[in-house]
Structures are given as C-alpha cells and as structure tokens.
Amino acid sequence: MTVPGAGADGRGGASTDDGDVVDPPPPTRAPPTREERRAAAAAAGWRPVRAGDLPGVAWTLAADGVPVRARGVLRGALTAWCWPARLLTIGRNRYHRDDRRTTVSLSRTVSPGVAIAIGAAVWLLFRPVVRGVPPTAVFVVAGVFYGYLLTLGVLQWLRNRAERTAEERRGLFRVAPQIRTTWWLGRVAVRDPGADRAAALAGAVTLCRLVVAPGETVGAVAASDRQQAELEAAGFREPRGSKGMVILDGGG
C-alpha cells in the first residue's frame, strides 16, 4: 500500500509501509514554441529570414557556393549566375546575422515519404501546364533548365573538392549513414571568401544549443576531415561506423 504524503524527511514524495520514501518524478519540460526559439536565437544575434531578407541571403548562399579561388569579376559573375536558384530554394527555418552576410539553416528533418509526396504534388501541379505546350518548346525549356542545374552542380562539386586535401580525395568516399535526427544543420554560408568560418560555425552551434530542446538532436555533414574536426571541437560527435555525419545532442 502506498500512502501519499510529505514523507519522513519532509520531501514531497510518497512513503511506503516500510518507511521508504519515493521521490516524485521530475517535471517534464514542454518543448519551446517557435516564438521562444526565435527569441532565444535573437538573443545570440541570429534573425529569422523574412521576405525583405531573401535577396541578400540568397546572394550570400550564391557567393558561398562559388569556388574559393574565383575572385574579382569572375566571382561576382558566378555569384550572379547562381543567385536565381538560391533565391528560389531558400527554405524555412533559416537564420542570418552580420547584415545577411552569414546564414545557416536549422530545419526539422524531412522523412523520405514526405519528400516523395512533395515531389509528386509538384509534378501533378505542372502536368496541366506542360500538356498544352508544343513538344519542341518543352524539350528546349527542359534542356535549358537541366543545363543550368548542371552548371550549379559543377560549381558545388568544385567548392566541395577544394575543401578536401589531395589525400582525402584519394581516400574513402564520405557518405552520411541512415541515422535520423530531430534537426538538420545546413552549411554555414558566409558571403566574404576571407571571413572567419570558425567564428561563424561557433555562432551556429550557439544557435543550436539555444533553440533545440532537451532530448532532441542536430545532424550535420562534414565535407572534409578539417570540417569534421571543427564540428567535433564545437561539441558534435561522430556516430559509430559513420563517415561524414556528426550529431549534436540537445541541451537543457
């Protein structure tokens, strides 16, 4: 028989017939709301991306995707080339600081089923539009579109290749394991090629610790051993058997 009461030592637990005191379960903490997360982020200097921030943030993302060796007029031209794609693909839960010159995404992990459903919905919406267009025009537009995507992919590959040393390029291929996390931290993008990326990463980790609730996890991918060492120094850990993915546990 268990009798509720203050207990023999004055604690607010429950006492049993044997005189033992059972402590009450610790109170559960409700996950913070979106407003609370954004207020905590703002306290650390991170602002959520609003409509007026989209052009500047897209320019930062475009500049970050350009190979580091591209400077001057070439860098500006490549940034302008990538800017439309970056503007159209800015997702939710993105933050910026330093007058939009540094940005990072901290978004909920999307399950494969949701991603497939979104792709199917987009295809069904565009089918009526494509149906009435002459086939030649469709092929021309599709060729231009895929050609543009190909150039973006090449620039992204060159940027990531520059992150790795020659030894890493000849080594293991980095593939993130199938480990599901609560949140996903995107690449910390900076507009200026000479910016302090270590400081930008430290700010992004501070953002994670402020907005992620206890028990939640944040996943990130490192493109090189140097990036992985920086993430691990900031508090991330590599799951056993993985190569390239690191996880940050939520704080209290």
Side-chain angles (χ1 to χ4, degrees):
M1 174 180 178
T2 303
V3 181
D9 57 356
R11 293 181 296 179
S15 60
T16 63
D17 292 337
D18 298 331
D20 298 329
V21 177
V22 180
D23 292 330
T28 58
R29 175 184 169 185
T33 63
R34 176 179 297 181
E35 290 71 21
E36 291 173 340
R37 296 181 194 273
R38 291 186 172 180
W46 290 95
R47 303 287 179 181
V49 173
R50 307 291 187 183
D53 303 317
L54 292 177
V57 170
W59 189 265
T60 296
L61 290 169
D64 189 76
V66 172
V68 179
R69 294 184 179 180
R71 298 298 176 94
V73 178
L74 176 60
R75 184 175 186 83
L78 291 177
T79 301
W81 177 258
C82 298
W83 181 80
R86 296 299 186 179
L87 180 64
L88 293 175
T89 55
I90 294 179
R92 299 175 57 192
N93 298 315
R94 178 169 287 278
Y95 296 84
H96 70 89
R97 65 185 305 176
D98 306 328
D99 192 24
R100 307 178 187 89
R101 304 186 78 86
T102 304
T103 180
V104 66
S105 63
L106 181 61
S107 57
R108 292 280 186 178
T109 303
V110 179
S111 65
V114 174
I116 294 173
I118 293 175
V122 172
W123 169 247
L124 291 175
L125 288 174
F126 275 92
R127 279 191 64 187
V129 178
V130 177
R131 187 177 301 170
V133 180
T136 302
V138 173
F139 281 117
V140 170
V141 173
V144 172
F145 176 71
Y146 285 113
Y148 181 63
L149 292 181
L150 179 62
T151 61
L152 297 179
V154 170
L155 290 173
Q156 187 84 9
W157 176 78
L158 290 173
R159 195 276 309 275
N160 291 337
R161 186 175 186 274
E163 295 280 356
R164 296 186 290 272
T165 63
E167 290 75 14
E168 287 182 79
R169 295 170 197 162
R170 294 192 295 266
L172 295 175
F173 186 72
R174 286 179 167 267
V175 178
Q178 298 299 317
I179 299 177
R180 183 171 175 81
T181 59
T182 315
W183 297 86
W184 189 259
L185 180 70
R187 174 183 169 89
V188 184
V190 294
R191 185 179 304 182
D192 305 318
D196 189 348
R197 289 190 173 274
L201 174 61
V205 174
T206 300
L207 170 68
C208 293
R209 295 194 181 281
L210 288 172
V211 304
V212 174
E216 296 180 335
T217 54
V218 181
V221 166
S224 64
D225 290 343
R226 177 186 58 79
Q227 286 186 6
Q228 184 157 338
E230 292 174 350
L231 287 166
E232 291 178 348
F236 284 80
R237 61 178 178 82
E238 182 184 69
R240 184 175 182 180
S242 71
K243 180 65 174 177
M245 183 178 182
V246 289
I247 294 177
L248 177 71
D249 294 323

